[in-house]
Amino acid sequence: MSPSTSPQDLSRMRNEYTGELSEQGLAGTWLEQFATWFADAVEAGLPEPNAMLLATADGTGRPSARTVLLKGYDQRGFTFFTNYESRKGQDLAANPRASLVFPWYPLHRQVIVNGSVEKVSREETEEYFAVRPHGAQVGAWASPQSRVIGSRDELRARVAEIEARPGPLTAPPHWGGFRVSPDEVEFWQGRESRLHDRLRYTGGRVERLAP
């Protein structure tokens, strides 16, 4: 295989995007627009349409990012659940701001959210925990998320210990929800020649950003 056709030649890896997003076609609020695009992602059969990249930074500004799952959204913002003692939990305790990206690549779309973060109520956490599969409930108790462990066997032992407990499980005290309350929500639609449409809701208005 010649260098010009090698899959390692990243400079030649390119897809042309198609689509359009105009101010006239935009919903009145970011919430309505997100609901429409989220429904499109579900209808298109995208794998894990509620997967989102969550970026945080610690108290010194050191960033980290990972994929989490959206578990609710409304006019207050976007909700996900995690171990509060994990790296992201510790980041958000020190620096309660975050960025989200919904990477709906097959639709040539992204949604980018920036905002402040707060914990959801314990009631919301318990309500969500109650509908999680049993294995996921056990995992929330068994995994010391983001910490170094000696082996997979150590994790299995912790799982067995939790599974041996009598009665239904409730949410661990160190586990719960966060809500990202957006200051701005950008809707990104890919277009030809990299001249993308970028419309951002912020401060009660909509701005168009250069691609």
Side-chain angles (χ1 to χ4, degrees), residues 100-157:
L100 306 172
V101 179
F102 292 86
W104 295 326
Y105 302 132
L107 299 179
H108 303 162
R109 290 176 176 176
Q110 301 179 76
V111 179
I112 304 160
V113 179
N114 291 301
S116 58
V117 183
E118 63 180 4
K119 290 180 179 179
V120 305
S121 69
R122 199 63 194 168
E123 181 181 9
E124 286 181 78
T125 289
E126 292 289 0
E127 287 178 355
Y128 170 67
F129 192 83
V131 301
R132 281 168 65 93
H134 178 69
Q137 292 179 338
V138 170
W141 278 97
S143 173
Q145 194 174 103
S146 301
R147 298 182 185 177
V148 175
I149 59 174
S151 66
R152 187 77 183 180
D153 287 341
E154 180 181 327
L155 186 61
R156 291 192 185 100

Side-chain angles (χ1 to χ4, degrees), residues 188 194-198 209-211:
W188 185 103
R194 298 300 188 258
L195 297 175
H196 314 303
D197 286 322
R198 298 175 61 189
L209 305 177

Side-chain angles (χ1 to χ4, degrees), residues 73-92:
Y73 68 92
D74 56 26
Q75 70 280 0
R76 297 171 298 174
F78 302 85
T79 300
F80 65 94
F81 293 84
T82 190
N83 186 318
Y84 288 143
E85 297 175 353
S86 65
R87 180 171 180 177
K88 57 185 169 297
Q90 293 182 43
D91 281 0
L92 291 171

